[in-house]
Amino acid sequence: MDSDFSHAFQKELICVICSNYLVDPVTICCGHSFCRPCLCISWEEAQSPANCPACRAPSRKQDFKTNILLKNLVTIARKASLWQFLSSEKQICGTHRETKKMFCDVEKSLLCLLCSNSQEHGSHKHYPIEGAAEEHREKLLQQMRILWKKIQENQRNLNEERRTALLWRGDVVLRAQMIRNEYRKLHPVLHREEKQHLERLNKEYQEIFQQLQRSWVNMDQKSKHLKEMYQELMKMCHKPDVELLQDLGDIVARSESVLLHMPQPVNPELTIGPITGLVDRLNRFRVEIAFLEVTNHNIRLFGDVRRLMFRRGSLNSDRSDYFAAWGTWVFSSGKHYWELDVDSSWDWALGVCKDSWIRKNSTMVTSKDIFLLLCVKVDNRFSLLTTSPLFPHYVEKPLGRVGVFLDFEAGSVSFLNVTRSSLIWSYPAGSLNFPVRPFFSTGHR
């Protein structure tokens, strides 16, 4: 009867994924429990919502807490298994007829207490088996948590790098066409400058695209090494106490070395050269814009951008110290050019938008009613994007003044780096066909 009870008790502490005692057990919403490492690996490639490995019920992925009760019960069961092992005749010291309860770290062997204090073994490090195994298992689990975070971080970077490479190619093609269109509006004598401009653009594209390719190859290789190490640590955690102590070796040191030299994403940035006469031509349409502060605090620009483009939350980007304003004039025809100073800002957005967009109670940055250039700070670097549609631009952050050119004859909006006399972005002809107001938002001054 006692044997049957013991067997039934132990069965409830077994993970159905690995068929071993639960390690760092977590319980999901359907009530089933698994080793955290096993569940992480099982759900890594799963669609959302993931399914329970036991009953296949849908389950939300989340940062589960360790089930302390189950963990304590598993510890009791491990101790029972250990004592059963130590009580065998093989684990009785032939010299002193005592149970071998001590582990010699030098010889990786079991000793009785009297042997561990003998002259032969006195200089060696010894540990009580019971406590040493659990202590080392906890160290392994702690290292696995660190590894798993790095695995996830590296995978996010790898996905982002591949996405960047795809967007990078499209951005360069559009930028080359934009440059050609701009030079057509200028004097033919600038044909040589246009050719040099496009040649430099193509050369930078090739060089940076190769950097992106090397980067994602390195990340893919690092991902394999991290996962192999994670699997090795998990396998070690599942071993019986004595076997764990005997086989530890340098596994922790090796796992720490794998974490070194994590590949970082490439931050591609094109050099946008000056276009002779660009600012002088647009200054003929110069207007002075007066702004009124927006009273609607539900305009969520920067949080939406981070969430959509960088897979991040708002990062406190919608705080009340963000300033937003619209122009007092509504433009519906003609050509108009103005400049705004953005030098001291982290996050800023400028351009034009419909009145209806400004006055909505909940505004998404993906709205087709806005033509904005945004600068967003993420992870200590700046990213430039335009809306309609939301699209990243891999060029340097402008310092000083940014120019906005509104051309209703062509149905286009353009943004200029005034200091560089260069074109940041110009929407294709026909993009704009409704009245708009100037708009400006900034924060972190």
Side-chain angles (χ1 to χ4, degrees):
M1 184 68 180
D2 289 344
S3 176
D4 292 340
F5 175 80
S6 176
H7 179 73
F9 174 71
Q10 291 180 349
K11 185 179 178 181
E12 293 302 315
L13 303 178
I14 297 297
C15 172
V16 299
I17 299 176
C18 66
S19 300
N20 292 301
Y21 276 132
L22 291 161
V23 168
D24 196 8
V26 293
T27 303
I28 61 177
C29 55
C30 63
H32 288 109
S33 300
F34 310 92
C35 303
R36 184 192 297 271
C38 293
L39 193 64
C40 286
I41 293 173
S42 174
W43 279 1
E44 185 182 19
E45 303 296 333
Q47 299 295 319
S48 185
N51 293 325
C52 169
C55 68
R56 311 309 299 169
S59 182
R60 296 185 304 276
K61 293 182 181 180
Q62 63 185 56
D63 185 19
F64 293 109
K65 302 297 182 183
T66 300
N67 188 321
I68 301 297
L69 176 60
L70 268 181
K71 184 176 181 179
N72 292 339
L73 290 175
V74 170
T75 301
I76 294 171
R78 285 187 185 278
K79 287 181 180 180
S81 297
L82 174 62
W83 281 108
Q84 186 177 4
F85 171 79
L86 294 178
S87 63
S88 66
E89 185 62 30
K90 290 182 180 181
Q91 302 308 322
I92 301 298
C93 175
T95 304
H96 303 104
R97 302 306 299 170
E98 288 193 3
T99 302
K100 298 177 182 179
K101 299 179 181 180
M102 304 301 292
F103 178 74
C104 177
D105 195 40
V106 176
E107 297 184 358
K108 307 298 180 186
S109 61
L110 301 181
L111 302 171
C112 75
L113 184 59
L114 293 174
C115 284
S116 66
N117 291 325
S118 67
Q119 185 175 359
E120 181 183 355
H121 297 282
S123 61
H124 297 170
K125 285 186 177 180
H126 304 96
Y127 308 97
I129 298 171
E130 188 177 296
E134 283 302 314
E135 183 179 336
H136 283 292
R137 189 173 281 110
E138 282 301 317
K139 287 180 180 178
L140 293 176
L141 287 171
Q142 183 179 359
Q143 193 67 14
M144 288 176 69
R145 293 187 191 106
I146 296 171
L147 261 174
W148 188 254
K149 287 182 180 179
K150 289 298 181 181
I151 289 171
Q152 300 304 299
E153 177 186 319
N154 186 72
Q155 188 60 49
R156 285 193 298 269
N157 288 339
L158 177 57
N159 294 340
E160 188 63 28
E161 207 77 326
R162 287 171 173 162
R163 177 174 172 272
T164 297
L166 182 63
L167 293 172
W168 170 257
R169 182 179 297 172
D171 182 52
V172 172
V173 171
L174 292 172
R175 193 163 296 280
Q177 186 58 50
M178 181 184 70
I179 291 169
R180 293 189 190 96
N181 292 339
E182 195 59 38
Y183 273 104
R184 290 195 189 106
K185 303 171 187 175
L186 300 170
H187 199 281
V189 75
L190 296 175
H191 174 73
R192 184 177 178 182
E193 180 184 301
E194 176 187 357
K195 183 180 178 182
Q196 292 174 340
H197 205 142
L198 292 172
E199 286 176 349
R200 184 174 63 248
L201 177 68
N202 184 62
K203 182 181 178 181
E204 286 191 7
Y205 161 71
Q206 297 294 343
E207 291 174 350
I208 295 177
F209 188 74
Q210 288 177 7
Q211 291 178 30
L212 288 167
Q213 286 182 314
R214 287 194 297 268
S215 177
W216 84 52
V217 167
N218 290 338
M219 288 179 182
D220 192 51
Q221 193 66 32
K222 176 61 78 170
S223 179
K224 293 177 182 176
H225 292 159
L226 290 170
K227 289 178 181 178
E228 287 171 359
M229 192 72 248
Y230 189 83
Q231 294 272 13
E232 188 176 345
L233 288 170
M234 183 171 70
K235 185 177 179 180
M236 184 65 70
C237 280
H238 282 131
K239 289 187 175 185
D241 289 356
V242 174
E243 193 176 338
L244 182 150
L245 291 172
Q246 291 174 331
D247 295 345
L248 267 176
D250 63 348
I251 191 169
V252 174
R254 288 190 291 109
S255 68
E256 290 173 347
S257 67
V258 172
L259 292 170
L260 298 175
H261 311 299
M262 292 292 296
Q264 297 302 310
V266 174
N267 184 21
E269 190 173 277
L270 284 169
T271 302
I272 50 173
I275 298 178
T276 302
L278 175 63
V279 176
D280 291 338
R281 180 176 71 84
L282 298 183
N283 267 327
R284 292 181 295 164
F285 309 104
R286 186 73 172 257
V287 293
E288 296 300 324
I289 303 294
F291 285 93
L292 295 173
E293 185 173 356
V294 176
T295 57
N296 185 347
H297 294 293
N298 288 323
I299 293 180
R300 299 187 299 271
L301 287 173
F302 307 107
D304 287 344
V305 169
R306 287 185 176 90
R307 185 168 57 255
L308 292 169
M309 295 301 299
F310 307 106
R311 311 298 192 266
R312 308 291 176 84
S314 64
L315 302 179
N316 296 323
S317 62
D318 298 315
R319 300 178 307 178
S320 60
D321 59 346
Y322 272 69
F323 170 84
W326 71 68
T328 55
W329 291 359
V330 175
F331 295 112
S332 58
S333 63
K335 298 180 180 180
H336 313 277
Y337 175 72
W338 63 93
E339 295 176 358
L340 291 168
D341 187 2
V342 297
D343 195 27
S344 58
S345 302
W346 285 8
D347 296 340
W348 50 260
L350 53 82
V352 295
C353 56
K354 268 186 178 181
D355 274 356
S356 58
W357 179 83
I358 297 173
R359 301 179 191 282
K360 285 179 182 177
N361 289 328
S362 181
T363 305
M364 291 291 291
V365 76
T366 52
S367 170
K368 295 180 180 179
D369 297 338
I370 56 176
F371 295 87
L372 301 177
L373 172 68
L374 300 102
C375 178
V376 181
K377 187 176 183 182
V378 177
D379 295 337
N380 295 317
R381 67 182 180 90
F382 295 95
S383 296
L384 291 182
L385 308 100
T386 50
T387 61
S388 298
L390 193 60
F391 192 77
H393 298 278
Y394 302 101
V395 296
E396 62 183 333
K397 172 183 181 285
L399 299 176
R401 301 181 74 79
V402 173
V404 182
F405 178 52
L406 185 59
D407 184 356
F408 273 97
E409 293 179 12
S412 177
V413 182
S414 302
F415 302 106
L416 283 71
N417 183 329
V418 177
T419 304
R420 298 279 189 181
S421 187
S422 59
L423 188 61
I424 299 173
W425 179 246
S426 183
Y427 285 92
S431 299
L432 177 64
N433 56 11
F434 48 80
V436 290
R437 287 182 184 269
F439 179 83
F440 180 52
S441 178
T442 185
H444 297 288
R445 282 187 171 275

